[in-house]
């Protein structure tokens, strides 16, 4: 577990034993589900957890009351952010098997701040406006903005976990920031009305 302390500076201020315990619970559940459902084929779970959390070394996200994660899959990055942040997390995952896995993680890790929604976000009826919207490897930025258009305003911070095409996807945004770590590009920008999100 020293791998986490070596790579995540913010953890030095956290309850590392509690963090390690919950990470182990997650790993055990994932191994169990993977034997039956093949939820993910990640070879290095630790590296993917670090990738989910590294942004916290660069940005303070504690301001957020509500965080929406779109296409949560096996829980990267939202489950791990929820281990650290006190925000309310709303994880949208329409896949039945993945949603069931996420519910088990929520229960076993005692994540009372996590809510699993087994729907596509574009089909969900709610007045919720997120302080932060996260997503990893779901779709391009313009498509994502359209999918979640009812859940953000000009104050919402988008935190998108991107790869090699990050700069290409962001080039038409009026303002954005990209933080690089190895292959990962963390793309951050504020949400405004969809029709004004891109340069004319």
């Amino acid at each position: 577990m020293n791998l986490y302390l070596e790579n995540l500076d913010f953890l030095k201020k956290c309850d590392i034993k509690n963090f390690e315990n919950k990470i182990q619970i997650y790993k055990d559940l994932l191994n169990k589900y993977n034997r039956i459902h093949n939820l993910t084929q990640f070879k290095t779970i630790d590296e993917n957890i670090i990738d989910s959390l590294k942004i916290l070394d660069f940005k303070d996200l504690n301001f957020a009351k509500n965080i929406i994660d779109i296409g949560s899959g096996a829980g990267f990055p939202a489950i791990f952010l929820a281990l650290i942040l006190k925000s309310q997390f709303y994880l949208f995952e329409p896949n039945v098997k993945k949603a069931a896995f996420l519910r088990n993680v929520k229960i076993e890790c005692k994540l009372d701040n996590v809510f699993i929604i087994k729907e596509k976000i574009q089909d969900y009826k709610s007045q919720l406006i997120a302080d932060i919207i996260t997503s990893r490897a779901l779709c391009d930025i313009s498509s994502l903005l359209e999918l979640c258009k009812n859940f953000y305003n000009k104050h919402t911070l988008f935190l998108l976990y991107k790869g090699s095409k990050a700069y290409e996807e962001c080039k038409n945004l009026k303002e954005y920031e990209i933080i690089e770590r190895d292959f990962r590009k963390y793309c951050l920008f504020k949400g405004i009305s969809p029709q004004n999100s891109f340069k004319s």
Side-chain angles (χ1 to χ4, degrees), residues 5 8-16:
L5 284 172
L8 299 169
D9 292 337
F10 74 85
L11 273 183
K12 296 178 177 66
K13 300 177 182 178
C14 298
D15 182 347
I16 187 64

Side-chain angles (χ1 to χ4, degrees), residues 2-3 11 35 49 67 71 74 133 142 147 161 163 166 170 191:
N2 286 336
L3 180 67
L11 273 183
R35 285 196 293 268
I49 294 172
I67 297 179
I133 293 177
S142 59
L147 289 178
Y161 291 63
C170 286

Side-chain angles (χ1 to χ4, degrees), residues 56-70:
L56 298 180
D57 277 343
F58 303 107
K59 293 290 180 180
D60 183 356
L61 304 181
N62 287 293
F63 70 90
K65 292 182 179 179
N66 298 310
I67 297 179
I68 286 176
D69 184 66
I70 306 173

Side-chain angles (χ1 to χ4, degrees), residues 119-153:
E119 288 188 47
K120 294 180 179 179
I121 191 168
Q122 63 268 35
D123 298 332
Y124 189 66
K125 307 301 180 187
S126 172
Q127 299 299 312
L128 176 66
I129 297 295
D131 297 304
I132 298 176
I133 293 177
T134 63
S135 186
R136 169 172 150 161
L138 179 67
C139 59
D140 62 69
I141 290 174
S142 59
S143 299
L144 187 74
L145 286 170
E146 178 61 26
L147 289 178
C148 62
K149 62 184 178 183
N150 295 322
F151 295 88
Y152 69 89
N153 60 26

Side-chain angles (χ1 to χ4, degrees), residues 19 46 71 106 139 168 186 190:
F19 175 80
D46 290 321
K106 167 187 165 66
C139 59
E168 181 182 343
Y186 301 98
K190 284 292 184 75

